[in-house]
Amino acid sequence: MMKRIVTFALVAALALCAMPAFAAKKKGATMDEKKMISMEYAKGVAAINQHQWNAAVASLSKVIDNPATPKDILCNAYENRGTAMANKKMENDSIADFTKALEINPDMEGALYNRARAYAKINKHAEAVADLTKAIGLAKADIILGSYYKNRGVSYLAMEKRDLAKADFLKAKQVYPKTKLSDEAKALIKGN
């Protein structure tokens, strides 16, 4: 019995002495974890840039699933994974990811634009128009703003709102004259 008490006391003493070392190690692990999250995120973005959609989804899912991921990286990871999923023709999954990104940061212009494009692909043009309208209110660069107007015009056209579509196509060309329009959009502007 005495041997057990001494063993227990020894184990307890060792545990107490080791606690500061484990705490220091945990702080170090946190830094390593942040570095690991950043590296995995960068890997996912690189995969997107190389059009490797499956690799992008895998890397960005690791970032999203890690509870230690900071919110600023998390919203970007959702947006980027949504982009990869949209390119895999997984519109509903991409919309879910863009929506999660927007829950974290409601003024994420890129997430609004990309979700609008995904909505348009599944013929949810009213939702696309709503997202593009908000993105237009946030946009600052002419080339981007021109694209937003053009895409909103496409959704208006799909909704048979020809006057609104025409106004958006004209605005797209006004904001950014190099905006490329479809033949149908050009015909609408000319009044054909």
Side-chain angles (χ1 to χ4, degrees), residues 106-110 112-113 116 128-142 144-150 152 156 168 171 175:
D107 293 333
M108 258 184 112
E109 193 180 317
L112 286 163
Y113 173 70
V129 166
D131 279 353
L132 288 164
T133 300
K134 185 168 182 183
I136 287 168
L138 296 170
K140 292 177 180 54
D142 292 346
I144 293 170
L145 191 55
S147 180
Y148 294 172
Y149 277 113
K150 177 183 90 170
R152 189 172 72 174
Y156 277 139
D168 273 357
K171 188 70 174 175
V175 173

Side-chain angles (χ1 to χ4, degrees), residues 41-106:
Y41 175 73
K43 185 177 163 184
V45 171
I48 286 175
N49 291 333
Q50 296 169 358
H51 298 199
Q52 297 173 345
W53 313 124
N54 290 332
V57 169
S59 289
L60 294 166
S61 292
K62 289 178 186 175
V63 173
I64 289 166
D65 294 341
N66 188 331
T69 300
K71 279 189 175 185
D72 60 330
I73 293 176
L74 186 61
C75 68
N76 288 322
Y78 274 120
E79 181 184 15
N80 284 304
R81 188 174 75 175
T83 298
M85 288 183 177
N87 281 289
K88 290 178 59 159
K89 310 234 184 295
M90 300 170 62
E91 278 77 18
N92 289 322
D93 292 328
S94 70
I95 289 168
D97 273 359
F98 295 134
T99 299
K100 288 185 180 190
L102 290 164
E103 287 170 1
I104 298 167
N105 180 359

Side-chain angles (χ1 to χ4, degrees), residues 86 91 94-95 98 113-123:
E91 278 77 18
S94 70
I95 289 168
F98 295 134
Y113 173 70
N114 287 315
R115 186 172 72 176
R117 290 183 65 209
Y119 276 139
K121 285 181 182 178
I122 59 171
N123 293 318

Side-chain angles (χ1 to χ4, degrees), residues 13-27:
L14 285 171
L16 285 172
C17 291
M19 284 176 88
F22 284 124
K25 188 174 183 179
K26 188 174 181 184
K27 286 180 187 174

